[in-house]
Amino acid sequence: MGWFPQTISGRVYAVILLILAPAPFVFEWINQPFYLDLLSRALILAIAVVSLNLILGFGGMVSLGHAAYIGIGAYSVGIPSYYDFYNGWLHLGLALSVSAAFAFVTGAISLRTKGVYFIMITMAFSQMVYFTFLSLEEYGADDGLVIYSRSEFPEWLTMDGSTSLYYWIFGLLLLSLFFVRRLVHARFGRVIVGSKFNDQRMQALGFDTYRYRLVCYVISAMMCSLAGMLLGNFTGFISPDMIGWARSGELIFMVIIGGAGTFFGPLVGTIAFVLLEEFLSLITVYWHLIFGVMLVALVLFGKGGIDGWLSLMDRKRADNG
Amino acid sequence: MAEQLLNIHQLNKHFGGIVATDNVNLSVEQGLIHAIIGPNGAGKTTLIAQLSGQIKPDSGEIEFGGHSITGYNTARRAREGLARSFQITSVVMPMTLLQNVMLAVQGTSGHSFRFWSPVSEDREMATAALESLAAVGLDDRADRIAANLSHGEQRQLEVAMALAMKPRMLLLDEPMAGMGKEEGAMMVDILNSLKGDITILLVEHDMDAVFSLADRLSVLVNGHIIATDTVENIRNNHEVQKAYLGDGHA
């Protein structure tokens, strides 16, 4: 079977994609709509995590404020809907343009700093977004905003119904994964990755790395806003709670669980995170404690995350002949 | 008189009370290897850093290829053809040699806001990179990871990257630093083979290497250039011997 990947990691990812593709029909068949909901939520987050991984994993820019772009995407659906504007292209355009503008301005400032300062300043900017939405009484403030109807698209692209929405999510996820892969292997990606390891050298080679990093940050933010736009449609309800800095922290965890700077790591990391969270909370009310211990152990011992383990298995197999 | 590629006018740099660069005037002729020698702490690396744009001078002017580049940042100077290597090895460690050198090719061949075509399929860039690797004798190890190289090989890689930028001038900050005798001799051969094609400003501690390579010598003491002349004349210069070479070299 030439089309099927030969490596263990490749096979695992192929199987995951093959399971995800027909998921709505499987869950309908076994009559478990709850699992489709869970999976939809996980894959929406996965788009956000893929976008974060682009700057964090490949670019070395640890942003603790990426949830802000989920918020911008979600409110790009919520606020127009509040005024009865349900046009999906409008929502999509708003999400992409507002997130790009916000990322351009805040990124231009944040990227002047490095390390811990970058983490803190991205968090500060995202908290600005959080408190802005929190103070907007018109749009529900901390009570949130109900979205009564999904973004309207032409018939063949409709988001109505959980199956259609799932394929919107799955489609955008695949596009994000594919796009990041092309980007990283292209000239642009080489600059981003090189700058992560040795920024001074990259400048001496003639790259204005600041510009490339800024553009990368903006691209990542726009991708993340797509997750927000989907989330608004999925939950039908948005509130500032969705975008606090704790959510940004969770996104970082998902990147690390899956394997920072890998192509499929963010997807498996997010699925693992969401499933663990879900099932641990079914077992015990103290699940936060178990979950916390697991995360600490993973950060301490699990270098490279899930993708790292799979690659390790591949290397061992290669060594054994 | 031959054309001056680099002209430095009255360059000054202070760090607090310390004078790192003191009214430096220097011209580097096209096609020559011009070495800067001087005792530790004389301000050689600070001077190189100002030429490559990592450090801004307090005052003074740097002219390259006939126009001022004082206001340019590091990246722009590199694209103008002023390439530097680092005293402490500075390559992208997790990448292969080929990938490292291809980055150098990429840096000086147009912008990199190209998001779609894989670099690995760019034959033209790979060929150019392999040429530079061959020039330093590393082409047989192109697919090794930079971090797994010996120190000497990493220094060679450093030079290959600088060459791949097709510079008009190379700023080499102690290319022989930490090298064994054999590796050092190889580096001298490499630099000798570039002579005439590329103008080189060389900072180096290894006096044998400097004397065998350089066409011109400038002596930097306490941030000030006390003499610039041919190797022969510098060796016989009484002032220089007193200030610098006197302690065992002359």
Side-chain angles (χ1 to χ4, degrees):
Chain A
M1 290 199 297
W3 60 273
F4 205 71
Q6 294 302 304
T7 58
I8 296 171
S9 50
R11 283 179 181 166
V12 169
Y13 298 141
V15 166
I16 288 175
L17 290 180
L18 287 176
I19 291 173
L20 291 179
F25 302 104
V26 175
F27 289 132
E28 194 177 10
W29 185 49
I30 59 173
N31 204 12
Q32 293 285 356
F34 167 75
Y35 288 112
L36 184 60
D37 264 20
L38 188 65
L39 197 58
S40 298
R41 193 159 57 84
L43 297 193
I44 289 171
L45 284 174
I47 295 172
V49 175
V50 167
S51 79
L52 178 62
N53 180 50
L54 174 62
I55 56 168
L56 189 157
F58 292 107
M61 299 171 254
V62 183
S63 161
L64 188 50
H66 236 48
Y69 300 106
I70 296 184
I72 289 172
Y75 277 90
S76 297
V77 179
I79 294 176
S81 301
Y82 178 76
Y83 297 108
D84 287 332
F85 291 113
Y86 288 103
N87 186 308
W89 302 114
L90 172 75
H91 296 170
L92 201 59
L94 264 181
L96 291 173
S97 56
V98 175
S99 61
F102 188 73
F104 183 80
V105 173
T106 63
I109 298 165
S110 309
L111 286 168
R112 302 249 172 230
T113 68
K114 287 214 153 53
V116 175
Y117 299 100
F118 182 78
I119 298 176
M120 297 316 287
I121 199 166
T122 49
M123 177 178 144
F125 279 127
S126 90
Q127 289 301 90
M128 269 173 48
V129 175
Y130 171 76
F131 283 112
T132 302
F133 287 132
L134 200 63
S135 64
L136 288 174
E137 294 288 345
E138 184 68 17
Y139 308 120
D142 58 339
D143 289 334
L145 191 61
V146 176
I147 301 170
Y148 292 100
S149 171
R150 286 193 179 147
S151 303
E152 281 170 4
F153 286 97
E155 186 57 36
W156 64 279
L157 260 179
T158 181
M159 276 187 172
D160 295 334
S162 50
T163 301
S164 306
L165 186 60
Y166 178 86
Y167 283 110
W168 255 90
I169 298 166
F170 188 56
L172 283 180
L173 174 67
L174 289 182
L175 275 178
S176 310
L177 286 169
F178 183 61
F179 181 64
V180 167
R181 202 185 173 87
R182 295 298 300 207
L183 197 71
V184 167
H185 283 144
R187 278 176 154 232
F188 182 80
R190 285 283 173 94
V191 181
I192 294 303
V193 173
S195 163
K196 165 185 165 182
F197 290 110
N198 197 338
D199 192 57
Q200 191 193 31
R201 187 28 142 172
M202 294 301 288
Q203 287 178 33
L205 289 179
F207 298 104
D208 285 307
T209 52
Y210 174 79
R211 290 189 201 171
Y212 292 97
R213 288 158 70 85
L214 181 56
V215 168
C216 187
Y217 186 76
V218 171
I219 290 173
S220 166
M222 291 169 78
M223 264 169 75
C224 194
S225 78
L226 293 177
M229 188 248 178
L230 292 170
L231 192 65
N233 275 298
F234 173 70
T235 54
F237 168 77
I238 49 176
S239 82
D241 281 345
M242 292 154 65
I243 60 171
W245 69 271
R247 169 47 60 88
S248 295
E250 283 177 11
L251 296 179
I252 293 180
F253 264 125
M254 294 178 208
V255 171
I256 292 171
I257 291 174
T262 64
F263 291 109
F264 282 96
L267 172 60
V268 285
T270 311
I271 293 176
F273 188 101
V274 171
L275 290 184
L276 269 178
E277 192 180 49
E278 192 63 36
F279 291 111
L280 283 178
S281 65
L282 289 179
I283 297 167
T284 162
V285 287
Y286 304 110
W287 66 274
H288 278 112
L289 185 66
I290 305 173
F291 198 43
V293 171
M294 289 171 82
L295 287 181
V296 171
L298 191 108
V299 172
L300 282 180
F301 307 112
K303 286 225 165 109
I306 298 172
D307 186 273
W309 304 334
L310 294 173
S311 312
L312 194 68
M313 283 156 68
D314 275 327
R315 276 199 299 279
K316 278 190 178 154
R317 200 173 65 151
D319 288 344
N320 293 336
Chain B
M1 199 175 162
E3 198 188 331
Q4 313 287 353
L5 184 57
L6 181 77
N7 279 303
I8 305 171
H9 303 292
Q10 312 204 316
L11 204 66
N12 282 290
K13 181 70 193 178
H14 299 238
F15 292 111
I18 299 163
V19 183
T21 305
D22 177 18
N23 220 14
V24 164
N25 291 291
L26 182 70
S27 293
V28 178
E29 242 174 73
Q30 177 101 45
L32 298 190
I33 296 185
H34 193 130
I36 297 178
I37 58 172
N40 276 327
K44 301 185 295 284
T45 296
T46 306
L47 182 60
I48 293 281
Q50 288 172 86
L51 295 180
S52 63
Q54 266 106 14
I55 296 177
K56 282 200 194 325
D58 296 335
S59 65
E61 195 77 18
I62 302 166
E63 255 178 43
F64 181 66
H67 61 271
S68 170
I69 57 163
T70 321
Y72 292 7
N73 67 12
T74 304
R76 179 132 186 230
R77 290 180 198 202
R79 293 196 300 268
E80 290 278 324
L82 188 59
R84 81 167 289 188
S85 78
F86 289 83
Q87 185 177 356
I88 297 158
T89 300
S90 181
V91 299
V92 184
M93 288 295 181
M95 287 190 181
T96 66
L97 274 62
L98 185 64
Q99 284 170 340
N100 264 287
V101 183
M102 279 175 81
L103 270 179
V105 177
Q106 189 184 326
T108 41
S109 62
H111 69 80
S112 288
F113 289 106
R114 298 188 193 166
F115 304 100
W116 204 248
S117 311
V119 177
S120 56
E121 287 169 16
D122 193 327
R123 290 283 131 235
E124 220 171 291
M125 249 166 69
T127 310
L130 279 170
E131 266 171 34
S132 299
L133 278 172
V136 301
L138 283 177
D139 48 332
D140 55 334
R141 278 152 279 183
D143 290 325
R144 298 259 305 273
I145 300 289
N148 298 337
L149 295 180
S150 74
H151 177 75
E153 289 171 320
Q154 283 178 357
R155 303 298 303 170
Q156 284 164 254
L157 173 59
E158 182 94 14
V159 174
M161 288 170 79
L163 285 180
M165 296 164 71
K166 299 250 177 284
R168 285 193 280 168
M169 182 166 181
L170 270 178
L171 304 169
L172 297 178
D173 194 1
E174 299 201 21
M176 281 87 159
M179 278 190 167
K181 262 217 145 46
E182 218 167 287
E183 292 171 330
M186 188 162 180
M187 186 63 82
V188 170
D189 287 343
I190 293 168
L191 296 183
N192 250 327
S193 71
L194 302 175
K195 209 167 183 165
D197 294 334
I198 302 173
T199 312
I200 295 176
L201 188 65
L202 173 73
V203 167
E204 185 51 60
H205 269 300
D206 183 335
M207 283 304 142
D208 293 335
V210 167
F211 288 141
S212 70
L213 280 171
D215 303 296
R216 288 276 184 289
L217 266 182
S218 289
V219 184
L220 193 69
V221 178
N222 292 329
H224 193 70
I225 290 187
I226 61 168
T228 296
D229 214 325
T230 62
V231 175
E232 216 33 54
N233 289 345
I234 289 284
R235 279 179 129 162
N236 300 327
N237 185 318
H238 185 65
E239 200 187 339
V240 172
Q241 286 180 0
K242 200 171 61 181
Y244 178 51
L245 295 177
D247 47 350
H249 284 287

